[in-house]
């Protein structure tokens, strides 16, 4: 039995809608993963800070935080980039195949895309403040260890001085790399985003 052409046309959007539902679930999963990564960083950093402050000699243990923060920040940014790619696929591939478009996605993205600049980065920090926890905890740990080194006045001949200074310097580099990674993630947009952006009030 052949399906009437009109009915096939009416049902043509069911596939894209089913795919949209699956992709929105994937976005929710990635956002949950981001939260788990952030919660893990905060929990473990709190435990490390609590243990390190029980004795002045344990403060160098705080250098663990910049290393773990860099790894977890990479995981957070990876999820962020996947969310951006899935969202772009929904807007460019699925939306045109649904009669009237996917209204929620249009509303969600209205005014959200801006040219690269400090204003957009500040907006990104406001909408995703948890991402700032990664460099903030690393900087706090590095500052505490630097303060401890200055108070202890270790001599250059101290066997623990050179490894400690090297570990601190590596922590600084990793923190800078984490900040750069977050900066690039906030700046990253595709050509399609720029083509769709219109300044507010030009509708």
């Amino acid at each position: 039995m052949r399906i009437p052409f009109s009915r096939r046309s009416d049902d043509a959007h069911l596939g894209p809608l089913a795919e949209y539902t699956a992709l929105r679930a994937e976005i929710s999963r990635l956002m949950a993963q981001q939260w788990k990564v952030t919660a893990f960083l905060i929990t473990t950093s709190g435990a490390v800070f609590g243990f390190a402050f029980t004795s002045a000699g344990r403060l160098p243990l705080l250098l663990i935080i910049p290393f773990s923060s860099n790894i977890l920040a990479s995981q957070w940014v990876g999820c962020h980039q996947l969310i951006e790619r899935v969202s772009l696929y929904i807007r460019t591939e699925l939306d045109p195949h649904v009669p009237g478009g996917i209204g929620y996605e249009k509303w969600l993205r209205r005014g959200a895309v801006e040219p690269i600049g400090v204003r957009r980065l500040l907006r990104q920090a406001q909408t995703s403040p948890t991402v700032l926890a990664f460099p903030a905890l690393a900087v706090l740990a590095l500052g505490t260890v630097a303060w401890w080194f200055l108070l202890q006045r270790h001599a250059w001949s101290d066997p623990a001085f050179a490894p400690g200074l090297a570990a601190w310097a590596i922590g600084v580099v990793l923190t800078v790399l984490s900040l750069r990674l977050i900066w690039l993630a906030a700046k990253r947009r595709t050509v399609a985003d720029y083509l769709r952006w219109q300044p507010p009030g030009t509708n």
Side-chain angles (χ1 to χ4, degrees):
M1 179 180 178
R2 298 184 61 184
I3 301 176
F5 178 77
S6 59
R7 182 175 178 181
R8 284 184 298 180
S9 300
D10 293 340
D11 295 343
H13 66 282
L14 296 181
L17 282 178
E19 189 175 3
Y20 168 75
T21 302
L23 290 176
R24 287 301 307 179
E26 178 66 11
I27 289 177
S28 298
R29 186 191 69 81
L30 290 170
M31 294 178 68
Q33 182 67 22
Q34 286 181 308
W35 169 245
K36 290 178 182 178
V37 168
T38 307
F40 179 78
L41 172 70
I42 294 174
T43 302
T44 54
S45 297
V48 172
F49 268 102
F51 181 74
F53 277 105
T54 57
S55 173
R58 295 173 179 170
L59 286 180
L61 291 175
L62 293 176
L63 293 176
I64 297 173
I65 294 177
F67 288 82
S68 60
S69 176
N70 178 262
I71 296 173
L72 295 174
S74 300
Q75 180 69 21
W76 194 98
V77 171
C79 291
H80 175 78
Q81 292 178 342
L82 286 175
I83 291 172
E84 288 289 336
R85 293 182 64 182
V86 172
S87 300
L88 180 64
Y89 177 80
I90 290 174
R91 296 194 306 275
T92 58
E93 299 296 330
L94 298 184
D95 185 83
H97 293 87
V98 177
I102 301 175
Y104 176 70
E105 287 296 321
K106 291 182 178 180
W107 175 84
L108 192 64
R109 298 297 297 184
R110 183 177 300 170
V113 179
E114 301 175 358
I116 295 173
V118 175
R119 184 177 179 181
R120 183 171 126 195
L121 294 174
L122 291 175
R123 187 185 298 275
Q124 175 77 12
Q126 291 174 355
T127 56
S128 302
T130 54
V131 72
L132 300 179
F134 298 95
L137 289 172
V139 169
L140 181 61
L142 290 170
T144 303
V145 174
W147 169 77
W148 178 80
F149 266 104
L150 291 175
L151 288 182
Q152 293 297 315
R153 299 180 181 276
H154 286 282
W156 286 96
S157 59
D158 190 336
F161 182 81
L165 182 61
W168 186 86
I170 293 174
V172 171
V173 172
L174 291 176
T175 302
V176 172
L177 291 177
S178 297
L179 285 169
R180 183 175 183 274
L181 188 64
I182 294 170
W183 173 274
L184 292 177
K187 288 174 60 176
R188 181 181 178 274
R189 291 292 179 184
T190 63
V191 175
D193 287 318
Y194 290 113
L195 293 176
R196 283 168 170 72
W197 181 79
Q198 290 183 347
T202 59
N203 295 337

